[in-house]
Amino acid sequence: MLKVLKFGGTSVGTLERIQNVANIIKKIKDEGHDVIAVVSAMSGETNKLLEYAHSFSKTPNPCEVDMLLSSGERVTSALLSIALNEQGYSTTSMSGREAGIITDSLHTKARIEDIDPSNLKKAISDGKIVIVAGFQGVTQDTNRVSTLGRGGSDLTAVAIAGVIEADVCEIYTDVDGIYTTDPRIEPKAKKLDKISYDEMLELASLGAKVLQNRSVEMAKKLNVNLISRSSFTPEVEGTLITKEENIMEKAIVSGIALDRDQIRVGMYGVIDRPGIASTIFTALADANINVDMIVQTRGGDGKTDLDFTIPRGDWEACKKVMARFKEEAEKIDYNDTICKVSIVGVGMKTHTGVASKAFSTLANENINIRIISTSEIKISMIIEEKYAELAVRALHSAYNLDK
Ligand code: ASP
Ligand code: MG
């Protein structure tokens, strides 16, 4: 098999850990597989380099920032290559440029436009283990080094796996897979064997931050089988993230996610005229504010109430936009003591009663639901933050996820 392996910052965080990663790669190579390993910078390194840049300038030139940040991944790729070489393995490290990763010119958040896999293919056919510096490429127009945005090494690995049609892309982090919910909240959480791309995207965007979202989207697009597993317990199988069709036994509910990063905006007594929602939400969109859940309730005498949620980080920007609608509403307020609990599962498409079970479970715990939204594979509910853990545990057991 041809395997692309990706090792995150924690997995290569010290010299001993780099040696540990070399041992994992060695074992896979000895089993007869071809290996391309993509590495992150040692944990904390990218932040440290960014701080260095900011010690000289509040607004460092993004092009120079990329030159700086890309060095972190090059360090680990070279060290890993040297470690494997010392054990008698034929290896070569490659920068993003050498690996053929071509990007647009949006420095510090570049998008991969193309991959020229010729160097990679040549090295593999020569029997080498290839170690690629993740998170970086070269700009098509200006021929400069670029980086792909924070967490971008996952993207490097998935894109390479897609283009060279690897059999699998294994993402090694410090957790051994995707769980039915956060084990720190519910110790009875179980590791999933398989999960579909869409479920993973929902769980990830809801706060289960094991894989970078863009990389899961890319895996879906390029049809790459992803495995989430740990470099600290490489003997544990991990979770396969794949096409829904590849999952025979579809769980009705696969997981419960918790997002504490939302705040609720309430607009009361808004003049109910055609186009009002459009005006408000266009203004928010223009300010790049990601509105998530929206409810509109009918008030009396031509007035309506609007409730919606936004990421906490957009709060200040949202206040500025809301100031423009002072005349349109009787009152505008903010609630930052809420959270969003979500139930995710592809089996919901074909089963009824999933939502009602969620509502009755929370009702039994005396938890009031402020906003509800649903999609084909997800039910989200806004509740008071103080009930977050209770709600997650109650729902986890209501759907038998601990069994
Ligand atoms: N080193 C980069 C970061 O910290 C890329 C990565 O780790 O994937 O964001
Ligand atoms: Mg990372």
Side-chain angles (χ1 to χ4, degrees):
M1 282 209 263
L2 172 52
K3 295 191 173 194
V4 173
L5 316 175
K6 187 261 166 176
F7 297 92
T10 326
S11 298
V12 294
T14 63
L15 299 182
E16 294 77 54
R17 286 179 182 178
I18 293 178
Q19 185 59 57
N20 173 55
V21 166
N23 295 341
I24 294 173
I25 296 177
K26 232 162 66 179
K27 185 152 176 288
I28 294 172
K29 183 72 180 170
D30 289 347
E31 285 163 3
H33 303 296
D34 287 324
V35 176
I36 296 175
V38 175
V39 289
S40 285
M42 295 168 88
S43 57
E45 195 60 25
T46 308
N47 287 339
K48 191 185 85 188
L49 293 171
L50 265 178
E51 272 174 36
Y52 285 174
H54 286 120
S55 72
F56 293 111
S57 165
K58 270 198 195 113
T59 52
N61 180 336
C63 185
E64 299 304 339
V65 170
D66 277 354
M67 183 69 181
L68 179 69
L69 295 191
S70 62
S71 69
E73 271 64 15
R74 295 175 65 137
V75 168
T76 37
S77 64
L79 289 175
L80 184 54
S81 180
I82 291 167
L84 277 161
N85 209 230
E86 185 62 20
Q87 312 272 322
Y89 291 80
S90 171
T91 64
T92 180
S93 62
M94 289 188 192
S95 66
R97 177 194 298 267
E98 289 164 313
I101 315 252
I102 297 153
T103 74
D104 63 18
S105 300
L106 272 175
H107 283 285
T108 74
K109 42 180 186 291
R111 292 194 160 260
I112 298 177
E113 296 210 309
D114 199 10
I115 296 183
D116 168 5
S118 48
N119 279 348
L120 290 168
K121 283 188 172 160
K122 168 85 172 49
I124 288 294
S125 73
D126 290 345
K128 288 185 175 154
I129 298 172
V130 186
I131 320 282
V132 179
F135 173 58
Q136 58 186 280
V138 58
T139 62
Q140 178 128 28
D141 296 347
T142 45
N143 196 25
R144 292 294 315 247
V145 63
S146 54
T147 67
L148 308 176
R150 298 309 301 269
S153 298
D154 283 1
L155 205 59
T156 305
V158 173
I160 288 177
V163 167
I164 61 166
E165 295 179 354
D167 297 283
V168 69
C169 178
E170 302 190 346
I171 309 274
Y172 288 81
T173 64
D174 52 0
V175 290
D176 59 7
I178 310 299
Y179 278 73
T180 49
T181 197
D182 185 342
R184 286 166 302 185
I185 297 176
E186 173 52 278
K188 284 186 236 151
K190 293 262 176 314
K191 183 159 62 69
L192 295 158
D193 291 333
K194 289 183 183 180
I195 187 172
S196 69
Y197 297 121
D198 290 327
E199 288 169 304
M200 185 65 231
L201 283 167
E202 293 290 5
L203 289 172
S205 64
L206 299 167
K209 290 187 187 74
V210 178
L211 295 170
Q212 189 216 32
N213 245 15
R214 262 170 83 197
S215 68
V216 180
E217 276 162 17
M218 169 100 67
K220 182 182 174 189
K221 200 168 97 192
L222 303 179
N223 218 337
V224 173
N225 282 320
L226 279 180
I227 292 178
S228 160
R229 62 192 309 168
S230 168
S231 64
F232 299 97
T233 51
E235 66 287 354
V236 177
E237 287 278 340
T239 302
L240 171 68
I241 301 132
T242 186
K243 270 200 289 207
E244 198 179 315
E245 297 89 285
N246 294 342
I247 301 174
M248 296 287 281
E249 261 181 79
K250 294 183 183 47
I252 299 174
V253 171
S254 299
I256 314 289
L258 174 64
D259 181 357
R260 298 180 194 265
D261 190 44
Q262 303 265 315
I263 63 168
R264 186 186 60 79
V265 185
M267 295 181 82
Y268 306 93
V270 182
I271 298 156
D272 197 5
R273 58 167 171 81
I276 182 71
S278 154
T279 317
I280 294 169
F281 294 109
T282 305
L284 290 163
D286 289 344
N288 261 320
I289 296 168
N290 216 335
V291 176
D292 183 27
M293 299 165 86
I294 304 175
V295 276
Q296 181 175 3
T297 41
R298 188 144 47 105
D301 35 293
K303 299 281 176 67
T304 181
D305 294 341
L306 268 176
D307 262 352
F308 55 92
T309 66
I310 57 166
R312 200 175 289 271
D314 289 341
W315 196 354
E316 282 310 313
C318 181
K319 279 184 186 160
K320 281 197 192 119
V321 175
M322 286 298 114
R324 297 181 357 222
F325 294 100
K326 260 213 207 97
E327 308 298 307
E328 308 260 11
E330 281 162 13
K331 192 178 119 195
I332 299 174
D333 70 9
Y334 303 89
N335 182 343
D336 70 339
T337 57
I338 52 133
C339 68
K340 180 170 77 172
V341 216
S342 307
I343 299 154
V344 175
V346 279
M348 273 181 216
K349 291 182 193 174
T350 47
H351 283 80
T352 53
V354 182
S356 60
K357 179 177 266 184
F359 306 149
S360 60
T361 302
L362 295 191
N364 285 339
E365 301 291 342
N366 256 315
I367 300 172
N368 199 14
I369 307 172
R370 302 292 302 266
I371 306 182
I372 300 167
S373 79
T374 61
S375 77
E376 238 191 339
I377 64 164
K378 178 183 76 174
I379 300 156
S380 293
M381 293 164 291
I382 295 289
I383 60 171
E384 281 298 318
E385 191 173 22
K386 63 179 179 219
Y387 298 124
E389 270 125 17
L390 177 61
V392 168
R393 280 188 224 116
L395 292 166
H396 194 263
S397 100
Y399 294 103
N400 289 320
L401 293 173
D402 40 9
K403 296 285 143 57

